[in-house]
Amino acid sequence: NAPGRPVVATTEAVEVRRGSLPEGWVQRLDPRTKQFFYENHWLGLSFCTDPRSTPPVADVTAYKWTDLPSGWHRFVDKNDFVYYINHHNHTSHWESPTLMRQVKLLAAVKTHYTELNECLQVEAQTLKQKRVVLLKNRDELQRLTAQRDAMDKQSVAASSPA
């Protein structure tokens, strides 16, 4: 896979560490391939590249960094990594609070559409079951109609003079 591209991970993947990864990320080891990958729980995606070694997936030039919430400041460390300080609760974050809000909103939208999709799948299954019943009823009606028609023919034939 190309750097930064989502990868498919096996369900048996083992969580390795959370330590120094940005919030929302976890490193896992795929026991089948023995390769590390990184999951972002907010996005619900897995990546083959370490989030600390690559720039954010989003185009950082598209964000208005001046629109940080009150009490937040943007800093760049000696390795040119951007991080954010929340002075209200004295915490630091790799992710922009603006980006975090957008990611959380996207996660909520994803959850909403997942729930809608599940409802649609249930509805589709119900409609399939109803179709099966309707087809059985149609077949039974056709059989009974054919049987009645045959009996009518026999009745007409029996009552006709020979």
Side-chain angles (χ1 to χ4, degrees):
N1 284 350
R5 300 290 302 204
V7 295
V8 177
T10 63
T11 56
E12 305 88 36
V14 178
E15 185 173 325
V16 178
R17 68 172 191 216
R18 287 184 185 268
S20 59
L21 289 169
E23 186 178 347
W25 288 88
V26 64
Q27 181 184 36
R28 295 188 184 274
L29 176 66
D30 185 332
R32 188 177 47 83
T33 64
K34 306 293 186 223
Q35 297 290 316
F36 287 106
F37 64 96
Y38 302 86
E39 284 185 346
N40 183 303
H41 296 292
W42 291 341
L43 297 175
L45 294 175
S46 298
F47 296 86
C48 57
T49 55
D50 188 326
R52 296 166 294 189
S53 66
T54 59
V57 175
D59 178 8
V60 293
T61 61
Y63 288 98
K64 295 180 181 176
W65 300 111
T66 57
D67 291 346
L68 293 173
S70 171
W72 284 82
H73 288 94
R74 178 180 182 262
F75 295 93
V76 179
D77 70 10
K78 64 182 178 184
N79 296 316
D80 288 331
F81 286 105
V82 175
Y83 64 99
Y84 301 87
I85 301 287
N86 179 341
H87 295 286
H88 294 298
N89 61 14
H90 308 288
T91 58
S92 62
H93 303 269
W94 288 110
E95 299 88 5
S96 158
T98 307
L99 181 59
M100 286 190 293
R101 276 192 304 239
Q102 292 173 352
V103 167
K104 287 177 183 177
L105 178 62
L106 286 174
V109 168
K110 178 183 174 187
T111 299
H112 176 71
Y113 280 107
T114 299
E115 290 170 358
L116 283 176
N117 187 42
E118 289 170 0
C119 289
L120 288 173
Q121 288 177 356
V122 168
E123 191 64 31
Q125 186 63 31
T126 302
L127 289 173
K128 285 179 187 177
Q129 292 169 350
K130 287 180 179 180
R131 183 175 186 269
V132 167
V133 170
L134 286 172
L135 290 174
K136 285 181 182 177
N137 289 343
R138 182 199 65 187
D139 293 344
E140 181 66 11
L141 181 61
Q142 288 174 345
R143 185 187 68 75
L144 290 172
T145 301
Q147 187 178 15
R148 184 201 65 208
D149 291 346
M151 289 172 61
D152 286 348
K153 285 182 185 179
Q154 287 177 352
S155 176
V156 169
S159 64
S160 318

